[in-house]
Amino acid sequence: MANVEQVEQKKGPSLVVQFAMLLVVTVAAVGMGWLSGGYLKGTDAPASVPVAPENEGSSEKPAEPGKEVAGPTLVQLAPITTNLASPAEVWIRLEASVFYDTPQPAEMTEQIHQDLLALVRTLKMHQIEGASGYQHLKADLEDRATIRSGGHAKQILIRTLLLE
């Protein structure tokens, strides 16, 4: 036992260096979170816009009935109630609205309604199951509306989707 080997212990970074690195990584993570949050928020208008003193207490006059207002419009479609293609005993009720970039004639809205009805009649239950099925249905409805309206229908808003 006269020969005792000395074992060299590998020393890692000191506790102070480890703490400093942890602090640097934490500050970097907080900074990146703050920057990405600012980027994602964008430059949207503030949630509440202050009212100018000269407009305080006054209200806007509604548009006259004979004049159309130019700009984006939201048109509610008649409810669509029909059975699915498979299984045929399952019924679907869809209430939706069309968001146009400019006011469109009522005939166009009726044509879009008929196209959406034709699409819904061809659906099978497995196509609309789950969240991805809903997203695919919404995308298909929006594609049909956009094609029928010549690009004026920007979005289909599904208000009610009921299967029985």
Side-chain angles (χ1 to χ4, degrees):
M1 294 216 144
N3 291 334
V4 178
E5 294 181 23
Q6 292 183 353
V7 178
E8 291 184 30
Q9 292 181 347
K10 291 186 178 180
K11 285 192 166 188
S14 70
L15 197 54
V16 173
V17 172
Q18 287 181 355
F19 181 71
M21 291 305 294
L22 178 65
L23 185 64
V24 167
V25 170
T26 303
V27 168
V30 169
M32 289 301 295
W34 181 73
L35 289 173
S36 62
Y39 175 75
L40 291 175
K41 186 176 180 183
T43 58
D44 294 336
S48 63
V49 178
V51 178
E54 62 270 6
N55 292 334
E56 209 168 73
S58 66
S59 61
E60 290 185 23
K61 295 180 183 177
E64 294 179 25
K67 295 182 180 178
E68 284 192 26
V69 178
T73 58
L74 184 67
V75 179
Q76 182 176 339
L77 297 175
I80 296 172
T81 304
T82 186
N83 60 329
L84 295 178
S86 174
E89 63 272 1
V90 175
W91 286 77
I92 185 170
R93 179 177 173 94
L94 175 70
E95 293 180 12
S97 299
V98 181
F99 182 72
Y100 292 116
D101 57 354
T102 58
Q104 299 298 316
E107 296 82 29
M108 182 178 294
T109 302
E110 185 58 34
Q111 290 173 353
I112 290 173
H113 179 266
Q114 292 303 316
D115 275 356
L116 299 186
L117 173 64
L119 174 68
V120 169
R121 289 185 58 90
T122 64
L123 291 175
K124 296 180 179 159
M125 182 64 112
H126 69 86
Q127 292 176 314
I128 55 176
E129 288 179 343
S132 63
Y134 173 78
Q135 288 177 336
H136 290 265
L137 172 64
K138 189 169 186 314
D140 290 343
L141 294 173
E142 288 177 352
D143 288 344
R144 284 270 181 122
T146 302
I147 291 169
R148 176 58 73 175
S149 68
H152 290 290
K154 296 300 179 190
Q155 191 174 14
I156 296 290
L157 305 172
I158 297 176
R159 296 183 359 216
T160 304
L161 179 65
L162 179 68
L163 296 166
E164 183 180 296

